[in-house]
Every structure is written in structure tokens, then in C-alpha cells.
């Protein structure tokens, strides 16, 4: 997980910049660090970024479910 000027990016499976990662994106939000090994769930339209990375854009942090 990383926060940038543009928003928060939660990578699943692999770390950035590995192209095989799955990313949840929250534009305009900053998140607290997530527990390593947590189960993360959200729903939305999946699209492929730059031909390699599957992503879902979320509207708010409330849409991201986290189970420890």
C-alpha cells in the first residue's frame, strides 16, 4: 500500500511496480497502513492498466473491506 499526492494505491499479490499485482485505487484519499496479510475485499469494474495490471477504482475508503 502506498499514498501519493493523487491518492492511495493498495496492491494485492505483488508489490509495485510488479506488473502481476492487483491494485485498488482511491483517488484523493490517504489511508493508514494496512496490516500485512489482511484479507481485502471490494467490488467494482476491473480494468487492465497499461496492458498488465488489473485495477479497481473505488469512490471512498468505506468501499474497501479489511479483515485481519
Amino acid at each position: 500500500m502506498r499514498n501519493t499526492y493523487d491518492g492511495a494505491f493498495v496492491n494485492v499479490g505483488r508489490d509495485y511496480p510488479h506488473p502481476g499485482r492487483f491494485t485498488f485505487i482511491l483517488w484523493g484519499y490517504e489511508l493508514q497502513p494496512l496490516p500485512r496479510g489482511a484479507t481485502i475485499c471490494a467490488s467494482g469494474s476491473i480494468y487492465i492498466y497499461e496492458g498488465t495490471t488489473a485495477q479497481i477504482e473505488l469512490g471512498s475508503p468505506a468501499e474497501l473491506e479489511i479483515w485481519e
Side-chain angles (χ1 to χ4, degrees):
M1 199 229 48
R2 66 188 175 104
N3 291 304
T4 69
Y5 176 78
D6 295 321
F9 297 79
V10 179
N11 297 309
V12 178
R14 304 281 187 150
D15 289 331
Y16 175 84
H18 194 283
R21 70 191 182 279
F22 185 94
T23 305
F24 295 101
I25 302 172
L26 293 121
W27 297 115
Y29 290 95
E30 184 175 313
L31 298 178
Q32 296 298 315
L34 301 174
R36 193 157 190 78
T39 299
I40 300 168
C41 181
S43 62
S45 297
I46 299 172
Y47 67 95
I48 304 299
Y49 177 72
E50 292 188 349
T52 60
T53 304
Q55 301 185 158
I56 293 178
E57 293 184 22
L58 303 175
S60 77
E63 294 180 37
L64 188 65
E65 295 183 42
I66 302 164
W67 297 292
E68 295 182 48

